[in-house]
Structures are given as structure tokens and as C-alpha cells.
Amino acid sequence: MLTSVRNPSAGVIGAALATVAAAGFLVLRQRSVARNDFNINDEDDEIDEEPVLSVSETVEIFNELFLGMQNVVAKLSQQIAAIQSAGQKIPDAQVKQIMTQEFDRAGYALQKQTYEKFDVDEEDVKEAVEYYGSDKKLSAVINRFKSLYETVSGNATGPVVAVPDDFSPSDLVRAAETYFSAMTESMKEVVGDFKARGEGDFRNPAVAQRLHAKFAEVVNDAGDAALDNVGVPMGLFKAALEKYAKLPQVGTTLQMLQMKQTQELMALGVPM
């Protein structure tokens, strides 16, 4: 996946692939979520009328969008990495532009398709997000999107985190190993639970969708908790990825961790 770590754009690809392992989402029309147009903590605008969508339906819509955009970003990252490995150098700024434009284009198309499937429009979804703003699951999926968008575009929607001078590439590698290990174990537990209740046919599209939706629900918390346990907040981890992912030792580690995760899940019967 991360095949050309010496190229200028390896930092973008490395950070994107690491983030895709646990996060993903969609740009809701002109990046509205990324820009906080859907303000889930807005206490000034109280909505008395109950929205068309229930909270579970809203989370279901966002989870479906999440799965689609996670796949888009993963494939795009791999395609760019393949171009790099063939010897074509792509400047970092150009990679960010390509990925952001494709993220927007694919996100808008997926949003339209998903809204049609659920027979809702953007206003219905926005009202539901505002109404159910305190729901933890809904907040979590929106925050996952913001995290992926920041990584793909390089445009932070929150405070910038500085990497301390004493946080070295080796520290990042150890944190990445902890992060991926926790996420992989969490995913394996989910797979085990599905098999235990007779839902082990992961090539069945309906089962696969439920499986990946559950992955999306649990892996971020597992990864975040593991990083917290070793004293590396997620903000520092992402900032360090951006800073060090161009280094061969870091890029190679990210590639190996991603491959190891894929192999372990495939061994359990999960198509990747």
C-alpha cells in the first residue's frame, strides 16, 4: 500500500492510510461537516419539533456514508502509491489537491445516492443532526469524518497540535504499533461475535455492511484508548504522522502494520 515512502507525497499517503484504518466519512455538500456547519453542540438554536429521522436512522445514514467514503479514500491512496512506486514523483501539494477533489466529488455522489435510498433530503439530515446533537454515536461518526477530512486535505478543523522535540520517529513507530494492534484486536472480537451468532458469511453484502458498520463503531475507541494508555493523545499521533510519515522507517512500518491487519482479517474470512 505505502510503496514509495521516499517520495515527497508519502507523508500524505501514509497519514491517509493510517487514518483509513480506523476512520472515514463524507463531505456533506461543500464540506459542511468539516467546516462545522452541522454544529452538534449548538445550544443557542433549540429545535422543538421532532425531525423526520429518528436518531438510529440518522446514525445508520452516516454509517453508510462512512463505509463508502472509507473505501474511496483507501482505494485512492493505494492508486497514488502505485503511481509513485512506478517512479512518478507527485508533489505533496498536488496529492492533497487530488485527494481533496476526489473526496468532494465521490462524497457528493454518495450523499445523493444514500439520501435517495432513505428518501430524505439534506435539510432532513441537518435537522436530525441538530436535534440529536448530544447523542454519543452520532457525535462519534461526525468526528470520524472530520478526522479523515483533515488528513486528506491538510485543513485542520480544530487546534493545531505541535509535535514536541523529544517525540521522535521511533516514538511514533511504537505508538503506531500500539494503535494498529488495539484496532485489529477490536475488529477480531467483532468478527468472533458475528460468527458466534451465525453471521459468518462475510461475502454476503448485508452481513459485510453490518460488520463494517460495527468496525466503525468500535475501532476508533479502541485505538484512542490504546494511545491514551501509552501517553500519546490522538492529536499528537496525527500531527506526528504528518511530520514523520515521509521517513522510510515510519512509512515502511505503516505499510507493514496495514498489511498485517489485512492478513489477519482475511485469515478470519473477512474479504479485504
Side-chain angles (χ1 to χ4, degrees):
M1 290 183 180
L2 207 84
T3 51
S4 185
V5 295
R6 291 180 177 81
N7 285 338
S9 51
V12 179
I13 300 301
L17 283 175
T19 307
V20 163
F25 221 72
L26 139 108
V27 174
L28 284 172
R29 190 164 300 175
Q30 303 301 317
R31 308 173 193 166
S32 55
V33 171
R35 297 177 311 178
N36 289 315
D37 287 356
F38 282 148
N39 190 341
I40 59 176
N41 295 313
D42 189 354
E43 298 178 355
D44 295 330
D45 298 326
E46 295 185 2
I47 302 175
D48 296 326
E49 186 176 349
E50 190 168 333
V52 173
L53 292 164
S54 68
V55 63
S56 61
E57 289 169 334
T58 308
V59 171
E60 184 180 356
I61 287 173
F62 276 82
N63 273 332
E64 183 155 326
L65 295 171
F66 157 73
L67 294 175
M69 289 310 298
Q70 184 183 46
N71 187 49
V72 167
V73 176
K75 287 184 177 179
L76 184 60
S77 299
Q78 292 166 14
Q79 289 168 1
I80 294 177
I83 293 172
Q84 292 174 340
S85 68
Q88 181 177 346
K89 290 180 169 56
I90 309 175
D92 202 40
Q94 185 177 353
V95 170
K96 287 183 179 179
Q97 181 181 21
I98 292 171
M99 294 189 71
T100 302
Q101 288 176 346
E102 180 61 18
F103 197 73
D104 286 350
R105 185 202 64 77
Y108 182 76
L110 183 61
Q111 172 187 295
K112 185 174 183 295
Q113 175 184 333
T114 304
Y115 284 5
E116 289 177 353
K117 175 181 176 180
F118 285 87
D119 193 24
V120 294
D121 58 26
E122 184 175 350
E123 192 61 31
D124 293 331
V125 177
K126 184 172 182 178
E127 288 177 357
V129 169
E130 292 172 346
Y131 189 85
Y132 303 119
S134 61
D135 183 79
K136 291 183 179 180
K137 286 187 178 181
L138 187 57
S139 298
V141 295
I142 290 177
N143 287 333
R144 281 198 291 269
F145 158 65
K146 290 180 180 179
S147 177
L148 182 64
Y149 178 78
E150 289 172 5
T151 303
V152 169
S153 68
N155 298 325
T157 61
V160 176
V161 177
V163 180
D165 292 337
D166 60 354
F167 192 85
S168 67
S170 296
D171 292 325
L172 173 60
V173 166
R174 285 192 290 272
E177 290 171 345
T178 299
Y179 182 63
F180 272 85
S181 176
M183 289 192 302
T184 302
E185 288 305 311
S186 176
M187 295 167 83
K188 288 164 70 173
E189 288 180 9
V190 170
V191 171
D193 289 343
F194 267 66
K195 288 184 175 181
R197 61 174 183 256
E199 290 191 278
D201 181 8
F202 301 125
R203 295 191 180 278
N204 181 311
V207 175
Q209 184 177 23
R210 288 194 294 274
L211 177 71
H212 286 279
K214 189 63 178 178
F215 283 166
E217 185 179 318
V218 302
V219 295
N220 288 283
D221 289 343
D224 289 358
L227 288 177
D228 285 342
N229 286 339
V230 295
V232 182
M234 175 54 72
L236 172 57
F237 182 62
K238 292 196 305 183
L241 276 173
E242 183 70 19
K243 180 177 181 179
Y244 294 131
K246 297 176 185 178
L247 300 178
Q249 71 188 89
V250 175
T252 300
T253 298
L254 292 175
Q255 180 185 13
M256 292 177 61
L257 291 172
Q258 183 76 30
M259 290 176 60
K260 182 172 182 281
Q261 182 184 78
T262 298
Q263 290 169 354
E264 290 188 29
L265 291 173
M266 289 180 67
L268 295 174
V270 181
M272 301 296 290

